[in-house]
Protein backbone atom coordinates (compact mmCIF):
# COMPACT_ATOMS: atom_id res chain seq x y z
CA UNK A 1 0.00 0.00 0.00
CA UNK A 2 3.00 2.23 0.48
CA UNK A 3 3.37 2.99 -3.23
CA UNK A 4 -0.11 4.50 -3.14
CA UNK A 5 0.45 6.47 0.07
CA UNK A 6 1.34 9.53 -1.95
CA UNK A 7 -2.14 9.38 -3.53
CA UNK A 8 -3.70 9.62 -0.06
CA UNK A 9 -1.91 12.87 0.52
CA UNK A 10 -4.33 14.61 -1.85
CA UNK A 11 -7.72 15.80 -0.82
CA UNK A 12 -10.86 13.99 -1.92
CA UNK A 13 -11.54 16.55 -4.63
CA UNK A 14 -7.98 16.36 -5.98
CA UNK A 15 -8.10 12.56 -6.08
CA UNK A 16 -11.32 12.71 -8.15
CA UNK A 17 -9.69 15.13 -10.55
CA UNK A 18 -6.70 12.86 -11.04
CA UNK A 19 -8.98 9.88 -11.74
CA UNK A 20 -10.99 11.84 -14.31
CA UNK A 21 -7.77 12.99 -16.03
CA UNK A 22 -6.51 9.42 -16.10
CA UNK A 23 -9.79 8.19 -17.65
CA UNK A 24 -9.66 10.92 -20.35
CA UNK A 25 -6.10 9.92 -21.29
CA UNK A 26 -7.21 6.30 -21.64
CA UNK A 27 -10.19 7.30 -23.83
CA UNK A 28 -8.06 9.49 -26.12
CA UNK A 29 -5.53 6.67 -26.57
CA UNK A 30 -8.30 4.21 -27.42
CA UNK A 31 -9.76 6.62 -30.04
CA UNK A 32 -6.30 7.21 -31.53
CA UNK A 33 -5.59 3.51 -31.96
CA UNK A 34 -9.06 2.95 -33.47
CA UNK A 35 -8.63 5.73 -36.05
CA UNK A 36 -5.13 4.58 -36.96
CA UNK A 37 -6.37 1.04 -37.44
CA UNK A 38 -9.23 2.30 -39.68
CA UNK A 39 -6.82 4.35 -41.87
CA UNK A 40 -4.56 1.34 -42.33
CA UNK A 41 -7.52 -0.83 -43.35
CA UNK A 42 -8.80 1.84 -45.77
CA UNK A 43 -5.36 2.30 -47.31
CA UNK A 44 -5.12 -1.44 -47.84
CA UNK A 45 -8.53 -1.33 -49.57
CA UNK A 46 -7.39 1.55 -51.79
CA UNK A 47 -4.22 -0.30 -52.63
CA UNK A 48 -6.24 -3.32 -53.70
CA UNK A 49 -8.49 -1.11 -55.85
CA UNK A 50 -5.45 0.62 -57.34
CA UNK A 51 -3.92 -2.72 -58.21
CA UNK A 52 -7.13 -3.71 -59.96
CA UNK A 53 -7.09 -0.47 -62.03
CA UNK A 54 -3.45 -0.97 -62.93
CA UNK A 55 -4.24 -4.48 -64.10
CA UNK A 56 -6.57 -2.94 -66.75
CA UNK A 57 -4.35 0.04 -67.60
CA UNK A 58 -2.82 -1.63 -70.65
CA UNK A 59 -6.28 -2.25 -72.09
CA UNK A 60 -7.35 1.35 -71.36
CA UNK A 61 -4.21 2.74 -73.06
CA UNK A 62 -4.87 0.58 -76.11
CA UNK A 63 -8.44 1.89 -76.39
CA UNK A 64 -7.23 5.49 -76.07
CA UNK A 65 -4.65 4.98 -78.80
CA UNK A 66 -7.26 3.44 -81.06
CA UNK A 67 -9.59 6.39 -80.45
CA UNK A 68 -6.86 8.93 -81.17
CA UNK A 69 -5.92 7.22 -84.42
CA UNK A 70 -9.52 7.07 -85.65
CA UNK A 71 -10.02 9.29 -88.70
CA UNK A 72 -13.22 10.96 -89.80
CA UNK A 73 -14.82 9.30 -92.80
CA UNK A 74 -14.86 11.48 -95.93
CA UNK A 75 -17.75 10.90 -98.29
CA UNK A 76 -17.75 11.95 -101.99
CA UNK A 77 -18.67 15.61 -102.40
CA UNK A 78 -18.77 18.36 -105.03
CA UNK A 79 -15.89 20.76 -104.18
CA UNK A 80 -17.85 23.69 -105.61
CA UNK A 81 -20.12 23.64 -102.55
CA UNK A 82 -17.60 23.40 -99.70
CA UNK A 83 -18.82 25.34 -96.66
CA UNK A 84 -16.55 27.03 -94.11
CA UNK A 85 -17.02 24.14 -91.67
CA UNK A 86 -16.44 21.51 -94.36
CA UNK A 87 -13.30 23.25 -95.62
CA UNK A 88 -11.87 23.51 -92.11
CA UNK A 89 -12.59 19.81 -91.49
CA UNK A 90 -10.77 18.95 -94.73
CA UNK A 91 -7.68 20.84 -93.58
CA UNK A 92 -8.08 23.97 -95.73
CA UNK A 93 -7.02 27.37 -94.43
CA UNK A 94 -9.43 30.30 -94.13
CA UNK A 95 -7.71 32.06 -97.05
CA UNK A 96 -8.09 28.97 -99.27
CA UNK A 97 -11.78 28.66 -98.42
CA UNK A 98 -12.35 32.38 -99.08
CA UNK A 99 -10.67 32.09 -102.51
CA UNK A 100 -13.08 29.30 -103.46
CA UNK A 101 -16.14 31.24 -102.28
CA UNK A 102 -15.02 34.39 -104.11
CA UNK A 103 -14.53 32.37 -107.29
CA UNK A 104 -17.98 30.78 -106.98
CA UNK A 105 -19.63 34.19 -106.53
CA UNK A 106 -18.58 35.00 -110.09
CA UNK A 107 -20.86 32.19 -111.29
CA UNK A 108 -17.99 29.92 -112.31
CA UNK A 109 -17.27 26.34 -111.25
CA UNK A 110 -14.19 24.22 -110.68
CA UNK A 111 -14.46 21.09 -112.80
CA UNK A 112 -11.32 19.17 -111.88
CA UNK A 113 -8.73 18.73 -109.13
CA UNK A 114 -6.33 20.98 -111.06
CA UNK A 115 -8.96 23.72 -111.21
CA UNK A 116 -9.52 23.39 -107.47
CA UNK A 117 -5.82 23.85 -106.73
CA UNK A 118 -5.49 26.75 -109.19
CA UNK A 119 -8.38 28.60 -107.51
CA UNK A 120 -7.76 27.80 -103.83
CA UNK A 121 -3.94 27.49 -103.88
CA UNK A 122 -4.09 24.46 -101.56
CA UNK A 123 -0.90 22.50 -101.12
CA UNK A 124 -0.23 19.35 -103.10
CA UNK A 125 -0.44 17.34 -99.87
CA UNK A 126 -3.97 18.57 -99.10
CA UNK A 127 -5.05 18.10 -102.71
CA UNK A 128 -3.73 14.53 -102.81
CA UNK A 129 -5.63 13.72 -99.62
CA UNK A 130 -9.06 15.14 -100.55
CA UNK A 131 -9.21 15.08 -104.37
CA UNK A 132 -10.03 11.34 -104.54
CA UNK A 133 -13.36 12.25 -102.94
CA UNK A 134 -14.27 14.97 -105.48
CA UNK A 135 -17.55 14.22 -107.23
CA UNK A 136 -18.45 16.24 -110.32
CA UNK A 137 -21.61 15.99 -112.48
CA UNK A 138 -21.51 13.19 -115.06
CA UNK A 139 -21.42 15.61 -117.98
CA UNK A 140 -18.32 17.30 -116.52
CA UNK A 141 -16.57 13.95 -116.13
CA UNK A 142 -17.49 12.99 -119.70
CA UNK A 143 -16.19 16.31 -121.03
CA UNK A 144 -12.91 15.94 -119.14
CA UNK A 145 -12.45 12.40 -120.47
CA UNK A 146 -13.31 13.50 -124.00
CA UNK A 147 -10.95 16.46 -123.83
CA UNK A 148 -8.06 14.29 -122.71
CA UNK A 149 -8.77 11.66 -125.36
CA UNK A 150 -9.06 14.13 -128.27
CA UNK A 151 -6.47 16.75 -127.45
CA UNK A 152 -4.01 15.15 -125.06
CA UNK A 153 -2.49 16.47 -121.84
CA UNK A 154 -0.91 19.59 -123.34
CA UNK A 155 -4.26 20.99 -124.52
CA UNK A 156 -6.05 19.93 -121.34
CA UNK A 157 -3.62 22.01 -119.31
CA UNK A 158 -4.34 25.22 -121.23
CA UNK A 159 -8.07 24.75 -121.88
CA UNK A 160 -9.35 25.60 -118.40
CA UNK A 161 -12.56 23.67 -117.62
CA UNK A 162 -13.98 26.56 -115.59
CA UNK A 163 -14.19 28.80 -118.66
CA UNK A 164 -17.65 29.76 -119.88
CA UNK A 165 -19.57 26.75 -121.12
CA UNK A 166 -22.92 25.02 -120.78
CA UNK A 167 -24.49 21.65 -121.40
CA UNK A 168 -26.14 21.39 -124.80
CA UNK A 169 -29.87 20.76 -124.41
CA UNK A 170 -32.89 20.87 -126.72
CA UNK A 171 -34.83 24.14 -126.21
CA UNK A 172 -37.76 23.51 -123.89
CA UNK A 173 -40.83 25.46 -122.79
CA UNK A 174 -39.69 26.79 -119.43
CA UNK A 175 -43.21 26.41 -118.07
CA UNK A 176 -42.88 22.65 -118.56
CA UNK A 177 -39.26 22.40 -117.37
CA UNK A 178 -38.30 20.17 -114.47
CA UNK A 179 -35.42 20.62 -112.05
CA UNK A 180 -33.27 18.15 -113.97
CA UNK A 181 -33.80 20.26 -117.13
CA UNK A 182 -32.76 23.49 -115.43
CA UNK A 183 -29.56 22.14 -113.85
CA UNK A 184 -28.25 21.24 -117.30
CA UNK A 185 -27.63 24.95 -117.85
CA UNK A 186 -24.10 25.90 -116.88
CA UNK A 187 -24.21 27.88 -113.63
CA UNK A 188 -27.59 26.54 -112.47
CA UNK A 189 -27.40 24.23 -109.47
CA UNK A 190 -30.21 22.46 -107.60
CA UNK A 191 -30.79 25.45 -105.29
CA UNK A 192 -31.20 27.92 -108.17
CA UNK A 193 -33.37 25.46 -110.08
CA UNK A 194 -35.73 25.15 -107.12
CA UNK A 195 -35.85 28.94 -106.78
CA UNK A 196 -36.90 29.29 -110.43
CA UNK A 197 -39.58 26.63 -110.01
CA UNK A 198 -40.92 28.33 -106.86
CA UNK A 199 -41.28 31.65 -108.69
CA UNK A 200 -43.06 29.88 -111.57
CA UNK A 201 -45.49 28.31 -109.07
CA UNK A 202 -46.22 31.74 -107.54
CA UNK A 203 -47.03 33.20 -110.97
CA UNK A 204 -48.75 30.16 -112.42
CA UNK A 205 -46.38 30.44 -115.38
CA UNK A 206 -43.68 32.69 -116.77
CA UNK A 207 -44.97 35.12 -119.37
CA UNK A 208 -41.61 36.31 -120.72
CA UNK A 209 -38.05 35.04 -120.73
CA UNK A 210 -37.06 38.56 -119.63
CA UNK A 211 -38.24 37.46 -116.19
CA UNK A 212 -35.00 35.49 -115.90
CA UNK A 213 -33.24 38.84 -115.42
CA UNK A 214 -35.09 39.17 -112.11
CA UNK A 215 -32.91 36.42 -110.57
CA UNK A 216 -30.14 38.85 -109.70
CA UNK A 217 -28.13 36.27 -107.76
CA UNK A 218 -27.58 34.28 -110.95
CA UNK A 219 -24.50 35.01 -113.03
CA UNK A 220 -24.96 36.73 -116.40
CA UNK A 221 -23.73 33.50 -118.05
CA UNK A 222 -26.43 31.47 -116.29
CA UNK A 223 -29.19 33.92 -117.30
CA UNK A 224 -27.94 33.86 -120.87
CA UNK A 225 -27.94 30.06 -120.77
CA UNK A 226 -31.55 30.02 -119.55
CA UNK A 227 -32.69 32.29 -122.36
CA UNK A 228 -30.85 30.18 -124.91
CA UNK A 229 -32.09 26.84 -123.61
CA UNK A 230 -35.73 27.68 -122.87
CA UNK A 231 -38.60 29.62 -124.39
CA UNK A 232 -42.16 30.68 -123.53
CA UNK A 233 -44.75 28.45 -125.16
CA UNK A 234 -48.03 29.64 -126.64
CA UNK A 235 -50.65 30.91 -124.19
CA UNK A 236 -48.80 30.44 -120.90
CA UNK A 237 -51.21 29.60 -118.07
CA UNK A 238 -50.42 32.61 -115.89
CA UNK A 239 -52.41 33.30 -112.71
CA UNK A 240 -54.45 36.46 -113.32
CA UNK A 241 -55.25 38.89 -110.53
CA UNK A 242 -58.23 41.25 -110.84
CA UNK A 243 -57.12 44.71 -109.82
CA UNK A 244 -60.67 45.91 -109.11
CA UNK A 245 -61.81 43.02 -106.91
CA UNK A 246 -58.65 41.60 -105.31
CA UNK A 247 -58.30 42.02 -101.57
CA UNK A 248 -55.40 43.74 -99.85
CA UNK A 249 -53.95 40.35 -98.95
CA UNK A 250 -54.22 39.05 -102.52
CA UNK A 251 -52.57 42.15 -103.95
CA UNK A 252 -49.81 42.01 -101.33
CA UNK A 253 -49.01 38.40 -102.23
CA UNK A 254 -48.52 39.24 -105.92
CA UNK A 255 -44.72 38.93 -106.45
CA UNK A 256 -44.42 42.32 -108.17
CA UNK A 257 -46.33 44.25 -105.46
CA UNK A 258 -45.72 44.92 -101.79
CA UNK A 259 -48.18 45.86 -99.05
CA UNK A 260 -47.71 49.63 -99.46
CA UNK A 261 -48.31 49.44 -103.19
CA UNK A 262 -51.36 47.19 -102.63
CA UNK A 263 -52.83 49.83 -100.27
CA UNK A 264 -52.19 52.56 -102.85
CA UNK A 265 -53.98 50.52 -105.55
CA UNK A 266 -57.02 50.00 -103.31
CA UNK A 267 -57.08 53.73 -102.49
CA UNK A 268 -56.93 54.63 -106.19
CA UNK A 269 -59.74 52.29 -107.21
CA UNK A 270 -61.87 53.55 -104.28
CA UNK A 271 -61.42 57.16 -105.40
CA UNK A 272 -61.99 56.49 -109.13
CA UNK A 273 -64.57 53.73 -108.83
CA UNK A 274 -62.34 51.32 -110.74
CA UNK A 275 -58.98 51.09 -112.45
CA UNK A 276 -59.35 50.84 -116.21
CA UNK A 277 -55.88 49.84 -117.37
CA UNK A 278 -52.27 49.38 -116.34
CA UNK A 279 -51.41 52.92 -117.42
CA UNK A 280 -53.45 54.25 -114.48
CA UNK A 281 -51.44 52.04 -112.14
CA UNK A 282 -48.18 53.42 -113.52
CA UNK A 283 -49.13 56.84 -112.08
CA UNK A 284 -49.01 55.49 -108.54
CA UNK A 285 -45.86 56.43 -106.63
CA UNK A 286 -43.21 53.68 -106.51
CA UNK A 287 -45.01 51.54 -109.07
CA UNK A 288 -42.36 49.35 -110.84
CA UNK A 289 -42.82 50.92 -114.27
CA UNK A 290 -39.69 49.18 -115.57
CA UNK A 291 -41.60 45.88 -115.32
CA UNK A 292 -44.98 47.21 -116.44
CA UNK A 293 -45.14 45.06 -119.59
CA UNK A 294 -44.49 41.89 -117.63
CA UNK A 295 -46.86 42.89 -114.80
CA UNK A 296 -49.62 43.56 -117.33
CA UNK A 297 -49.53 39.87 -118.32
CA UNK A 298 -50.86 38.94 -114.86
CA UNK A 299 -53.57 41.60 -114.39
CA UNK A 300 -57.27 41.80 -115.19
CA UNK A 301 -59.40 44.98 -115.08
Amino acid sequence: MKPFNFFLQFTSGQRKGILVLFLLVMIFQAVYFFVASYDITREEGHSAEKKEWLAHQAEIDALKAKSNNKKDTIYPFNPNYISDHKGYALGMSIAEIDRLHAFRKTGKFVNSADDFQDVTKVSGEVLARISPYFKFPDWVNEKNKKGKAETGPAFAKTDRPFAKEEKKIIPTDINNALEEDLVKVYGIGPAFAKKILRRRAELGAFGSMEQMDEFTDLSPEAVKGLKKSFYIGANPDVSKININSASLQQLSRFPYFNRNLAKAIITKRSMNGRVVNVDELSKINDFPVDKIKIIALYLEF
Side-chain angles (χ1 to χ4, degrees):
M1 295 295 294
K2 289 183 179 181
F4 297 98
N5 287 339
F6 76 95
F7 188 70
L8 297 175
Q9 297 175 4
F10 297 102
T11 64
S12 175
Q14 290 173 335
R15 288 196 296 268
K16 289 180 180 179
I18 293 172
L19 288 174
V20 170
L21 181 62
F22 179 75
L23 288 174
L24 288 175
V25 170
M26 294 295 291
I27 291 171
F28 284 137
Q29 286 183 339
V31 170
Y32 172 78
F33 286 117
F34 174 78
V35 171
S37 176
Y38 174 76
D39 288 341
I40 292 172
T41 303
R42 186 174 61 174
E43 184 64 28
E44 290 176 351
H46 286 178
S47 298
E49 184 180 359
K50 185 176 181 181
K51 290 178 181 178
E52 185 177 354
W53 274 105
L54 290 175
H56 296 284
Q57 189 62 45
E59 183 179 355
I60 294 172
D61 292 340
L63 289 174
K64 286 183 178 179
K66 183 177 180 180
S67 176
N68 291 334
N69 291 332
K70 183 178 178 181
K71 296 181 179 179
D72 294 333
T73 302
I74 301 178
Y75 297 97
F77 63 94
N78 189 328
N80 288 289
Y81 302 103
I82 292 177
S83 63
D84 290 338
H85 176 74
K86 177 76 172 179
Y88 179 79
L90 292 173
M92 296 175 63
S93 68
I94 295 175
E96 292 165 351
I97 298 170
D98 288 344
R99 291 189 195 105
L100 176 63
H101 290 175
F103 178 78
R104 286 287 292 110
K105 285 181 180 179
T106 65
K108 298 179 182 180
F109 292 80
V110 295
N111 291 329
S112 69
D114 289 340
D115 292 347
F116 184 81
Q117 187 175 34
D118 288 344
V119 171
T120 62
K121 310 302 181 186
V122 296
S123 66
E125 180 183 354
V126 172
L127 184 69
R129 178 163 48 82
I130 67 176
S131 61
Y133 302 97
F134 287 177
K135 183 178 181 181
F136 298 103
D138 291 340
W139 68 269
V140 172
N141 294 329
E142 291 173 2
K143 177 189 176 299
N144 290 340
K145 290 179 182 178
K146 184 178 179 181
K148 290 180 181 179
E150 292 182 354
T151 61
F155 180 82
K157 190 65 179 178
T158 58
D159 182 22
R160 304 317 305 162
F162 53 77
K164 298 178 184 179
E165 63 174 286
E166 63 182 50
K167 178 69 174 177
K168 297 294 183 180
I169 63 174
I170 300 174
T172 306
D173 184 346
I174 196 166
N175 289 314
N176 296 327
L178 303 176
E179 181 179 335
E180 50 262 39
D181 299 320
L182 294 169
V183 297
K184 292 178 182 177
V185 176
Y186 186 79
I188 304 293
F192 282 136
K194 288 182 175 66
K195 187 172 184 178
I196 293 170
L197 294 177
R198 282 196 298 269
R199 173 53 69 92
R200 188 180 71 185
E202 292 174 353
L203 298 171
F206 289 115
S208 168
M209 287 305 297
E210 296 305 313
Q211 289 172 278
M212 300 303 105
D213 294 323
E214 297 168 8
F215 297 101
T216 54
D217 46 358
L218 287 178
S219 66
E221 293 84 355
V223 173
K224 182 179 178 180
L226 285 171
K227 292 180 179 180
K228 183 178 179 180
S229 303
F230 298 94
Y231 63 91
I232 303 295
N235 302 317
D237 189 19
V238 299
S239 297
K240 296 277 189 176
I241 182 169
N242 192 306
I243 286 294
N244 292 298
S245 62
S247 66
L248 174 63
Q249 186 177 14
Q250 290 173 321
L251 291 171
S252 299
R253 284 203 303 260
F254 182 53
Y256 292 99
F257 294 164
N258 55 38
R259 191 171 182 82
N260 290 334
L261 185 56
K263 288 180 179 179
I265 292 173
I266 291 178
T267 300
K268 187 172 187 64
R269 79 188 187 194
S270 298
M271 294 175 60
N272 298 345
R274 62 182 292 105
V275 176
V276 179
N277 53 45
V278 72
D279 289 334
E280 289 189 29
L281 294 177
S282 65
K283 297 175 183 178
I284 297 176
N285 290 335
D286 298 325
F287 188 87
V289 292
D290 57 323
K291 296 185 175 72
I292 193 167
K293 290 183 179 179
I294 293 175
I295 293 174
L297 298 173
Y298 298 92
L299 303 183
E300 290 179 335
F301 299 91

